[in-house]
Amino acid sequence: MTNSITDSAQSTVRPFKLVRYFSIASISAFAIATAILGIVYRDQSVRDLISQGEQQNETLTRAFANSIWSEYSPFLSMTQQFSNEELRKHTHTIQLQKKAIAQMRGSSALKVKIYDLQGRTVFSTDAAQIGKDKSESTGFKTALAGDTLSQLGHRDTFKALAGSLNDRNVLSSYVPIVRNSQVAGVFELYNDVTPLVQRIETTQRFIIFKSILIFGVLYLILLCLVRYAAKVIQSQNEALQKSAGAHKHQADALKQALDDVQTAQSQLIHQEKLAALGHLVAGVAHEINTPLGAIQASGVNMSKALEEALSEIPHLSQKLTQAEQVLLFRLVEQSQQNERLITSNERRPLRKAMVQQLKEWDVENPRRVANLMIDMGIVDNLDVFLPLINHQQSAWILQLAYNLTRLPVSNSTILKAVERAAKVVFALKNYARQDHSGQPILVKITTGIETVLELYHNELKHGVELTRHYDAEPELWCYPDELIQVWTNLIHNGLQAMDSQGAISISVQQIADDCQVKITDSGKGIPTHVQSQIFEPFFTTKKAGEGSGLGLHISQQIIDKHKGTITLKSELGHTEFTIRLPLTRLQEDPDNSSESNTAPIGELSYV
């Protein structure tokens, strides 16, 4: 009755469709990422285009205003006396139009307008526009207040200097005409930016296409891996079900064949492997979380700094002179060149001395200025940047410089974190790799050692001095999965013996036709009277609950399988395991051609 209920419950369990859910999730994520990338690129490019076009329009405005003002300013100041029709036909208007067309010919300018202080169009290269009221225009109001406003728009038709144009992208800028520190009028200039917008759209399409191509290749690779994983899971599940069925039918026969010692040994070996696997997984999770946290924090810092910097850079020419701008970028460049990390102990006396110096220079808020300069790594020759520090826009200047310097620093942090995470994932991949061929393969001996060291990096970096002496890195025929288990057992035992505080040394040498590996730790050592027992099953010098006494026994079995030797020298503060393995190709044992005697930690099988 119980069996029938269990079978019924198992039959109602719906299988998890891994490939389908992976495909839906990954394609959705890739599509969203591609769309966001294309939108962000276009928005940024359009902002850059407007900023660049605005600067060009300001330059053209100043050049045009300077060339006409002395000659036509008396006429422009009297335009209120004329009607719209009189203004269009006035001799000065016609002369001014000819001069404007001559001045703007050869540039990207399409149309020129001049407004008086009441918002009336007193001049336009398009005569039909003269006399129109623009006093309620946002651009006119902004220019009247002394600022420049640029707007990008699309026109199906546009009447330009050279005639009527169709289907154009036009950038219009309202620029104040300033004379004697007063706004004397408003200048509006239209520029043709159609080629630039088309180039942006072409590049945007290329970015989207390239992103789709890259994401598509990545998706296919991941899909292959997921499908392979699904097949492996399904295969293992079927194998487990068959094994469970076979054990169920043969339970009575096995109970008679197996004695209590064999059962206990199998269970303890299994627990030993699972315990080591759990220990490694915890360390690997921490090692991956650390760079992920750094990436997240740096990404937030970069986003904030970039947003603030982009919003302030357009105002740079308005708030700083050319010389001050050069000094600002010199400050940013010097900060980026200073890669030395200032520690907390160094920071306090530096800040104290800097605050004192700033007070002597009568700098406002010296503590804040000192903190920003130290954060940017500027601790010497402060007098060079005194014009910026004492500037009336000092707070704005230093904050902009700080934001600009944070971008490469945060980017460097992200690159280092990604590199660190990639190393951990690569090591975990090597560690989890399973070779079911049962055949020895040719590998470099240090590859497995470095894999284990990478996975134990979380413990090694806190209080453990690791020394490598690789006099040689020979390749040998071996079962790499099983050797990784040996290195895991020896390094893990060394860390436990030192309580993760001390020194571990690993040396690799080639002696004649043998490869010799020595793993030494500075732990409490193994008493002389028990050293002859350490390779026996179930013997351990650890406290109860810390080990089963099978790790070194399994390691010896693996070394024996490789026709090598493992020996021990130990005293207080120095324990050394020496492993010698032949470099000659192993002869496969016919009795073990299909599977290995031992399984790497993490496989759910028994030794």
Side-chain angles (χ1 to χ4, degrees):
M1 179 66 178
T2 303
N3 291 339
S4 63
I5 294 175
T6 302
D7 294 340
S8 176
Q10 291 178 347
S11 63
T12 59
V13 176
R14 299 179 62 185
F16 182 76
K17 299 178 180 179
L18 177 62
V19 176
R20 176 186 295 180
Y21 295 146
F22 164 77
S23 298
I24 294 173
S26 59
I27 292 175
S28 300
F30 290 162
I32 293 172
T34 302
I36 292 175
L37 186 61
I39 292 172
V40 168
Y41 168 78
R42 179 178 176 82
D43 290 345
Q44 181 60 47
S45 299
V46 169
R47 284 197 295 269
D48 292 342
L49 172 61
I50 292 175
S51 176
Q52 181 181 0
E54 186 175 277
Q55 294 177 4
Q56 181 180 0
N57 285 350
E58 286 182 352
T59 303
L60 289 173
T61 299
R62 293 191 187 98
F64 185 64
N66 290 335
S67 66
I68 70 169
W69 197 256
S70 60
E71 182 178 353
Y72 292 98
S73 58
F75 165 69
L76 295 175
S77 63
M78 297 186 302
T79 55
Q80 295 296 328
Q81 302 175 8
F82 303 108
S83 66
N84 294 343
E85 188 62 28
E86 290 173 340
L87 195 57
R88 292 189 189 100
K89 296 180 178 180
H90 199 282
T91 304
H92 279 39
T93 301
I94 297 172
Q95 293 175 350
L96 184 57
Q97 187 173 33
K98 292 179 179 179
K99 189 159 188 175
I101 294 174
Q103 181 96 11
M104 300 302 174
R105 182 173 290 114
S107 68
S108 58
L110 295 176
K111 184 187 294 185
V112 179
K113 293 183 181 179
I114 301 177
Y115 306 104
D116 62 14
L117 297 180
Q118 287 72 41
R120 185 187 182 199
T121 306
V122 297
F123 173 75
S124 174
T125 53
D126 181 6
Q129 299 290 322
I130 296 176
K132 291 192 175 181
D133 184 14
K134 298 288 285 190
S135 59
E136 297 302 319
S137 168
T138 302
F140 172 77
K141 293 179 179 179
T142 301
L144 195 62
D147 295 325
T148 301
L149 178 65
S150 297
Q151 298 171 327
L152 180 65
H154 184 81
R155 305 289 182 89
D156 293 331
T157 59
F158 189 84
K159 192 169 184 180
L161 296 174
S164 181
L165 301 175
N166 296 322
D167 193 21
R168 311 306 290 173
N169 292 295
V170 179
L171 179 68
S172 63
S173 297
Y174 290 84
V175 183
I177 302 174
V178 180
R179 286 294 180 270
N180 298 325
S181 302
Q182 297 292 328
V183 177
V186 174
F187 194 96
E188 184 179 10
L189 183 67
Y190 293 84
N191 264 356
D192 183 8
V193 293
T194 302
L196 297 177
V197 173
Q198 291 175 346
R199 190 183 307 165
I200 290 173
E201 292 174 348
T202 301
T203 305
Q204 181 189 26
R205 289 192 293 269
F206 175 75
I207 289 175
I208 292 176
F209 172 76
K210 193 172 183 179
S211 299
I212 292 174
L213 181 62
I214 294 173
F215 287 150
V217 173
L218 180 60
Y219 167 74
L220 292 176
I221 294 173
L222 293 177
L223 179 62
C224 292
L225 293 175
V226 171
R227 294 187 66 178
Y228 175 73
K231 290 180 180 179
V232 171
I233 292 172
Q234 182 180 2
S235 175
Q236 290 180 347
N237 185 46
E238 292 175 354
L240 286 174
Q241 291 179 351
K242 291 179 181 179
S243 177
H247 289 161
K248 179 180 178 181
H249 292 295
Q250 299 175 6
D252 294 339
L254 290 175
K255 287 179 182 179
Q256 297 297 324
L258 297 177
D259 54 48
D260 295 339
V261 175
Q262 291 175 321
T263 302
Q265 182 178 2
S266 298
Q267 291 175 348
L268 287 173
I269 292 175
H270 187 56
Q271 292 173 1
E272 174 91 0
K273 293 180 179 180
L274 290 180
L277 179 62
H279 182 81
L280 275 179
V281 168
V284 169
H286 179 82
E287 281 299 291
I288 292 180
N289 282 334
T290 298
L292 285 179
I295 291 172
Q296 183 181 27
S298 298
V300 171
N301 290 338
M302 285 184 67
S303 178
K304 182 179 178 182
L306 184 60
E307 180 180 356
E308 292 180 2
L310 289 177
S311 66
E312 297 299 339
I313 285 178
H315 306 297
L316 198 60
S317 60
Q318 299 175 7
K319 296 185 178 182
L320 299 179
T321 65
Q322 186 66 30
E324 290 169 342
Q325 292 180 37
V326 171
L327 190 58
L328 170 63
F329 289 110
R330 180 181 174 186
L331 171 63
V332 173
E333 181 181 5
Q334 183 171 330
S335 173
Q336 293 177 355
Q337 292 174 352
N338 188 359
E339 299 179 353
R340 186 176 70 88
L341 179 64
I342 300 176
T343 64
S344 299
N345 292 334
E346 294 175 320
R347 186 183 182 91
R348 283 189 288 271
L350 279 174
R351 180 173 57 189
K352 184 177 179 181
M354 193 177 294
V355 169
Q356 182 62 34
Q357 181 67 59
L358 293 173
K359 286 181 178 178
E360 294 176 3
W361 291 339
D362 295 327
V363 174
E364 294 183 2
N365 201 352
R367 183 174 294 275
R368 179 179 182 276
V369 173
N371 284 331
L372 281 174
M373 298 299 280
I374 292 174
D375 287 342
M376 289 187 287
I378 307 298
V379 296
D380 299 317
N381 302 322
L382 285 182
D383 54 336
V384 175
F385 305 106
L386 189 58
L388 298 181
I389 296 174
N390 272 333
H391 198 279
Q392 61 180 359
Q393 297 287 343
S394 173
W396 180 86
I397 293 170
L398 294 181
Q399 186 61 44
L400 176 59
Y402 176 79
N403 287 335
L404 291 175
T405 59
R406 289 302 89 196
L407 295 175
V409 173
S410 298
N411 184 60
S412 176
T413 301
I414 289 175
L415 292 177
K416 291 178 181 177
V418 170
E419 181 181 2
R420 178 66 198 145
K423 286 182 179 180
V424 175
V425 172
F426 181 79
L428 188 60
K429 178 183 176 182
N430 284 345
Y431 186 84
R433 181 182 61 83
Q434 300 178 20
D435 181 16
H436 298 289
S437 66
Q439 298 291 332
I441 60 176
L442 186 65
V443 297
K444 189 178 294 185
I445 187 68
T446 55
T447 301
I449 297 174
E450 287 299 318
T451 295
V452 176
L453 291 177
E454 190 65 35
L455 294 177
Y456 275 111
H457 182 265
N458 185 50
E459 291 191 40
L460 293 170
K461 68 183 180 182
H462 297 297
V464 176
E465 180 184 351
L466 175 63
T467 305
R468 300 175 177 88
H469 298 287
Y470 296 164
D471 296 336
E473 297 185 50
E475 293 183 338
L476 74 158
W477 293 92
C478 65
Y479 304 95
D481 298 344
E482 298 181 14
L483 285 183
I484 282 180
Q485 186 173 337
V486 175
W487 315 136
T488 300
N489 289 338
L490 297 181
I491 293 174
H492 181 63
N493 286 347
L495 289 171
Q496 285 189 322
M498 302 186 304
D499 293 327
S500 296
Q501 297 290 325
I504 287 182
S505 174
I506 301 176
S507 67
V508 179
Q509 294 177 300
Q510 181 174 344
I511 301 176
D513 292 331
D514 289 344
C515 173
Q516 178 176 281
V517 179
K518 289 186 179 181
I519 299 178
T520 307
D521 67 75
S522 61
K524 48 185 171 289
I526 301 173
T528 305
H529 65 280
V530 299
Q531 290 183 13
S532 61
Q533 300 175 268
I534 62 169
F535 295 109
E536 296 178 4
F538 307 110
F539 178 82
T540 180
T541 59
K542 301 175 184 177
K543 297 178 182 179
E546 289 187 357
S548 63
L550 293 172
L552 291 177
H553 174 66
I554 294 173
S555 298
Q556 187 181 46
Q557 286 184 327
I558 294 172
I559 298 302
D560 290 343
K561 181 178 179 179
H562 285 79
K563 313 302 181 185
T565 60
I566 179 171
T567 57
L568 165 71
K569 292 180 182 179
S570 181
E571 60 185 26
L572 183 61
H574 184 88
T575 298
E576 178 183 280
F577 284 91
T578 301
I579 299 96
R580 292 192 66 159
L581 299 168
L583 296 177
T584 55
R585 182 159 187 166
L586 293 175
Q587 297 297 322
E588 180 63 15
D589 187 350
D591 295 333
N592 285 329
S593 59
S594 60
E595 63 183 32
S596 172
N597 284 338
T598 56
I601 297 175
E603 289 189 62
L604 301 183
S605 59
Y606 294 96
V607 176

